[in-house]
Amino acid sequence: MDSASPTTQSKTTDAASPRRETLTVTDNRTGKSYEIPITHDTIRANDLRQIKVQASDFGMMSYDPSFSNTASCKSRITFIDGDKGILRYRGYPIEELAEKSTYLETAYLLLYGELPNSTQLRDWHHHITHHTFIHESIKKFLDGFHYDAHPMGMLISTIAALSTFYPDAKHIFDPESRKKQTYRLVGKMPTLAAFAYRHTLGMPYVYPDNELTYTGNFLNMLFRTSETRYRPNPTLEHALDVLFILHADHEQNCSANTVRGVGSSHVDPFSATAAAVAALYGSLHGGANEEALRMLMEIGSVQKVPEFIKRVKAGETKLMGFGHRIYKNYDTRARIIKQVAYEVFELMGKNPLLEIALECERIALEDEYFVKRKLYPNVDFYTGLIYQSMGFPMTMFPVLFAIPRMSGWVAQWEEMLLDPEQKIARPRQIYLGHDTRPYVPIDQRK
Ligand code: CMC
């Protein structure tokens, strides 16, 4: 709407007049006002395009590098209230799922929207278990990597390579095809991860054992040596299962945004999720668990924590495993992980780095620098300590994040595909480069 009399000051609604779910914006360049609809406390960025100085102008855009205040989708999968420290999958609080559910049941919930009944759960287990094997050629492919190749690099490559084995995955609008690729992706993640790990050790690959649970089988493929049948330790199997539940989804984080963005070009889900693993690999995202443990090792002793915190406050380094774009309170996952850590330490012995981590947390939670910026431990602060105690090398830490996140990525990808409002993801830019200029022949260049 263009209004003849521009609004120049904000006014609260007159108690007598009905509440209008709109935002009135005045362009002070022209004095024109525009009334923009508000839905879910949000305006549509495209509604700004009507704001122009001249009719031939492109129209106003919003500028939001890093999407700090831009909703890119409507979602029904995961809810986070960062100020209150709330995380729910499909409405179920993460604390309840961590206590009462299993990773595979939670994965089903994320993907299909409801908790499965017993028949659905049995079928789901059956399908996942029967898609854990990988094509023998993947082994040859893995053999091409150096012994010290980072397992995340191997994981990205092997997931992408799956698209070449399953060309039917291109039928992304066929529900049966999507179902099959979901089984394959969730089922094969532990196998690909375990094979990458065994490759770095130069040890023979261990094939899946269909009698074991999802996490039990993963431990089998990682750690089995000469025994005829591997029996996972129930405490470690349970700890890993809880960690998998906590990592399964986290709404529109960097890798979820990646799987949606890449998937929006209608590429197959193997290629789209390989891109998501690449996004997760970075040290600000899933790679932070590896970096947090390296940091604790670098600090070396409780006495050296204050000195390290001083360096963080001087902007020389970061306290890895601290801070979050959304959580401005204690990351609820970190609280549960701390409990799991004690269960694992009881079995495996206390990780000597724990005291350093606790001292970092103690100082940070009292220090004005961290308090003012609302920086709390996130999911990656304590996980490394648990993984290390369980016998994982540091390079496997982000892989342990990626395996369970696959269910979240596939849920996000499918929701994006089926959303009629979604199109190919294609942001705008503010071009600040040169205006047109003639080509300069090489002999005339400075
Ligand atoms: N150590 C020290 N200062 C920090 C930290 C940290 N870990 N995190 C943020 N800050 C400071 C930052 O320098 C900034 O200060 P100032 O206002 O003076 O410039 C302020 O806090 C706000 O930070 P930001 O970088 O604007 O926040 P962001 O939302 O862009 O970044 C983050 C979020 C997670 C990338 C960041 O907190 C970080 O780099 N943390 C360390 C890496 C990490 O633990 N990542 C795992 C995230 S949780 C798991 C996952 O989902 O991936």
Side-chain angles (χ1 to χ4, degrees), residues 284-285 288 318-319 321-325 369 373 375 378 380:
L284 297 187
H285 193 6
K318 273 189 169 178
L319 188 55
F322 259 68
H324 201 275
R325 171 63 60 81
Y369 175 95
R373 291 170 178 77
L375 300 172
N378 61 48
D380 291 318

Side-chain angles (χ1 to χ4, degrees), residues 134 139 142-143 145-151 154 190-208 217-227 230 392-393 395-396 399:
I134 53 176
K139 282 183 5 193
L142 275 172
D143 286 342
F145 285 101
H146 278 217
Y147 73 94
D148 59 353
H150 197 290
M154 292 191 256
T191 317
L192 294 174
F195 277 31
Y197 170 71
R198 301 284 289 206
H199 176 76
T200 59
L201 297 180
M203 288 181 74
Y205 303 119
V206 176
Y207 285 89
N217 174 46
F218 179 46
L219 291 169
N220 159 60
M221 292 188 288
L222 289 165
F223 298 131
R224 191 175 134 206
T225 48
S226 57
E227 60 270 53
Y230 180 85
F392 289 105
T395 52
M396 278 299 281
V399 172

Side-chain angles (χ1 to χ4, degrees), residues 68-125:
S68 303
N69 197 37
T70 295
S72 64
C73 62
K74 292 173 183 161
S75 183
R76 293 182 162 77
I77 304 171
T78 293
F79 173 78
I80 303 175
D81 184 326
D83 291 327
K84 296 192 184 127
I86 292 173
L87 169 61
R88 296 183 203 128
Y89 296 160
R90 303 279 188 187
Y92 294 101
I94 193 70
E95 295 83 352
E96 279 198 60
L97 292 169
E99 192 192 330
K100 297 171 187 163
S101 185
T102 61
Y103 170 67
L104 271 194
E105 184 184 68
T106 299
Y108 183 100
L109 170 71
L110 285 168
L111 285 156
Y112 303 112
E114 295 297 337
L115 285 168
N117 62 29
S118 47
T119 313
Q120 288 166 329
L121 188 60
R122 203 186 47 234
D123 288 352
W124 172 240
H125 270 273

